[in-house]
Amino acid sequence: RIADFQEVLGEPTVALTKLRELCFSGIPFDGGLRCLCWKILLNYLPLEKALWSSLLKKQRDLYSQFLKEMIIQPGIAKANLGVSREDVTLEDHPLNPNPDSRWNTYFKDNEVLLQIDKDVRRLYPDMAFFQRPTDYPCLLILDPQNEFETLRRRVEQTTLKSQTVARNRSGVTNVSSGSPLKSTPSSLSEYEVLPNGCEAHWEVVERILFIYAKLNPGIAYVQGMNEIVGPLYYTFATDPNSEWKEHAEADTFFCFTNLMAEIRDNFIKSLDDSQCGITYKMEKVYSTLKEKDVELYLKLQEQNIKPQFFAFRWLTLLLSQEFLLPDVIRIWDSLFADDKRFDFLLLVCCAMLTLIRDQLLEGDFTLNMRLLQDYPISDVHLILKKAKELQDSK
């Protein structure tokens, strides 16, 4: 299989259809194949290999520019903006009500930053990876000469109230019996503080999300985006090729941006009920189930188990909360390779339902809700195989 991948990737122009077919069945980790394939499948790298090095240089330089403008500059501006000034009648000061005031922007950004911070510190708590220091800390920001304000320091200095942002958009309370996958450290103090000049992987993810929020004010940051960026960053930051691994942050940012361009409608509440919104997709899971297994469909209908009780999370987060990280990554190989872009995800959701049909047919409402919110099968190969059968039986 590795040889098959190497052959397709060795051509001057990558044959996308062939690559999709190979990736759909799972990409080997060896030699950084997955990282490379994902970058192509997510439209970051063009199919013509001759264009790769110039494009990568251009994008990575652009990302450095974003860091300078959105992370470093506000910190400097804050230091220069009247921390020691007597005369508050000057044009910009912390109490300036003008919405264009740089202080005003700084405080507004802090609200978004606090929510991101809360979410990224909890990324995959069962794995040490995100708490560990990265081999390639961002030298632009951690430059000891300048002592720029890092996002982490900014959060520590900010006392803005953050409770305004804890909303579950589908309005669902989780009946799940505290699954071991999702235990979280009870306080920030449980995280070891890394020495100066080091930064943990979660801090890199925080930066990616903060810059995304700044560049996309229409959607900004919505809870759950951290679960989408996590597996991408993990995959790129563990690339065995150091020359790729070194640029994991910038590459993740652009792949995440491209992926969000395809799934962002799921995160936009005003689109929930439109044809591209999440409600439509959740109902599609049920209409597909009705085609494939009418008995199970009627049972869920009869118990009034609505798709938003479980499929909201499955679809919005591309199943990243239902399985352990290596399994999520395997599922994403197939999802990214799907040329109809995430139609296959609906079939995976249907497969997950049909694989536990006997338990669902016997269970009552409470039992079934628990099954669906804390999915019992961990063998993703079985689920993908079933989804493929459903696809072929159309």
Side-chain angles (χ1 to χ4, degrees):
R1 277 181 55 73
I2 293 173
D4 291 344
F5 275 93
Q6 284 168 340
E7 188 185 333
V8 173
L9 294 167
E11 297 292 324
T13 301
V14 176
L16 186 58
T17 315
K18 226 184 215 166
L19 184 71
R20 282 190 194 283
E21 270 171 39
L22 285 173
C23 295
F24 187 81
S25 313
I27 308 169
F29 177 73
D30 311 64
L33 284 175
R34 175 174 279 126
C35 310
L36 192 51
C37 291
W38 279 18
K39 286 172 183 139
I40 297 169
L41 295 174
L42 292 171
N43 303 317
Y44 178 45
L45 286 178
L47 298 176
E48 294 77 29
K49 282 176 70 176
L51 302 173
W52 287 3
S53 60
S54 62
L55 174 119
L56 288 169
K57 182 177 179 345
K58 189 175 121 232
Q59 297 298 81
R60 290 163 179 174
D61 288 350
L62 177 61
Y63 188 74
S64 294
Q65 202 47 47
F66 293 155
L67 290 176
K68 286 174 191 158
E69 285 171 24
M70 290 170 222
I71 310 259
I72 295 176
Q73 283 301 330
I76 296 178
K78 183 185 167 210
N80 298 342
L81 269 179
V83 177
S84 59
R85 219 183 246 165
E86 300 294 308
D87 181 2
V88 294
T89 56
L90 286 164
E91 84 288 6
D92 210 352
H93 57 85
L95 301 177
N96 184 348
N98 176 357
D100 299 331
S101 143
R102 281 190 291 177
W103 276 104
N104 201 332
T105 310
Y106 185 84
F107 290 138
K108 263 210 171 61
D109 288 347
N110 280 354
E111 288 182 42
V112 175
L113 179 57
L114 281 172
Q115 179 61 55
I116 294 174
D117 189 75
K118 214 162 71 182
D119 293 346
V120 293
R121 286 173 186 262
R122 303 192 283 226
L123 259 181
Y124 292 97
D126 51 318
M127 286 176 64
F129 172 80
F130 286 97
Q131 305 306 324
R132 287 206 185 113
T134 161
D135 297 340
Y136 300 100
C138 180
L139 300 177
L140 256 180
I141 292 168
L142 297 174
D143 174 355
Q145 298 265 283
N146 294 307
E147 291 218 337
F148 293 133
E149 182 183 48
T150 61
L151 290 183
R152 181 183 189 144
R153 195 175 313 161
R154 195 165 152 176
V155 168
E156 284 159 4
Q157 290 168 354
T158 298
T159 53
L160 282 171
K161 300 279 179 288
S162 55
Q163 67 262 34
T164 47
V165 273
R167 292 185 295 267
N168 177 347
R169 202 157 61 82
S170 62
V172 172
T173 44
N174 212 334
V175 198
S176 148
S177 52
S179 139
L181 280 185
K182 306 178 191 81
S183 59
T184 52
S186 55
S187 74
L188 302 183
S189 60
E190 285 182 39
Y191 294 114
E192 55 178 311
V193 174
L194 298 171
N196 275 349
C198 293
E199 57 180 350
H201 287 293
W202 67 261
E203 293 182 71
V204 182
V205 175
E206 176 166 80
R207 221 170 18 241
I208 292 168
L209 287 166
F210 182 70
I211 289 179
Y212 179 82
K214 288 281 286 173
L215 289 172
N216 296 275
I219 180 171
Y221 172 75
V222 180
Q223 224 170 350
M225 287 182 184
N226 55 314
E227 307 292 350
I228 300 287
V229 82
L232 284 176
Y233 174 73
Y234 173 81
T235 301
F236 295 166
T238 53
D239 192 319
N241 301 339
S242 56
E243 63 272 28
W244 285 98
K245 184 173 165 179
E246 185 179 345
H247 298 285
E249 180 176 351
D251 293 349
T252 301
F253 172 80
F254 289 108
C255 287
F256 172 69
T257 301
N258 290 356
L259 178 55
M260 282 305 297
E262 298 187 39
I263 62 169
R264 61 180 282 165
D265 294 351
N266 295 346
F267 287 90
I268 299 175
K269 192 161 176 40
S270 59
L271 290 177
D272 278 2
D273 297 321
S274 72
Q275 277 241 304
C276 52
I278 188 72
T279 308
Y280 176 76
K281 289 178 186 138
M282 290 189 293
E283 279 161 5
K284 198 120 193 290
V285 171
Y286 265 22
S287 58
T288 312
L289 179 67
K290 190 177 177 182
E291 270 171 49
K292 306 287 183 192
D293 189 339
V294 72
E295 188 189 357
L296 179 56
Y297 167 78
L298 290 171
K299 172 75 178 182
L300 295 174
Q301 288 286 58
E302 175 200 317
Q303 290 189 345
N304 203 17
I305 292 180
K306 296 182 169 22
Q308 52 266 45
F309 296 164
F310 60 93
F312 178 84
R313 190 174 76 187
W314 291 7
L315 294 167
T316 314
L317 305 181
L318 306 181
L319 295 168
S320 60
Q321 281 280 277
E322 311 316 310
F323 302 100
L324 293 168
L325 185 58
D327 296 326
V328 172
I329 287 170
R330 169 61 196 92
I331 292 172
W332 284 17
D333 287 345
S334 297
L335 294 184
F336 295 165
D338 173 19
D339 59 343
K340 295 205 174 55
R341 278 322 201 207
F342 308 117
D343 273 13
F344 188 65
L345 177 59
L346 299 172
L347 293 168
V348 174
C349 294
C350 269
M352 287 168 69
L353 293 171
T354 53
L355 284 169
I356 54 169
R357 76 183 300 270
D358 295 349
Q359 289 151 280
L360 289 170
L361 289 172
E362 281 170 25
D364 61 7
F365 175 85
T366 312
L367 204 67
N368 286 347
M369 282 294 288
R370 201 160 275 151
L371 275 174
L372 293 168
Q373 293 195 341
D374 203 350
Y375 190 74
I377 296 176
S378 56
D379 181 353
V380 296
H381 297 281
L382 180 68
I383 294 166
L384 291 167
K385 187 168 162 250
K386 183 70 182 167
K388 184 81 180 92
E389 281 167 22
L390 294 175
Q391 188 181 48
D392 295 341
S393 70
K394 277 194 168 171

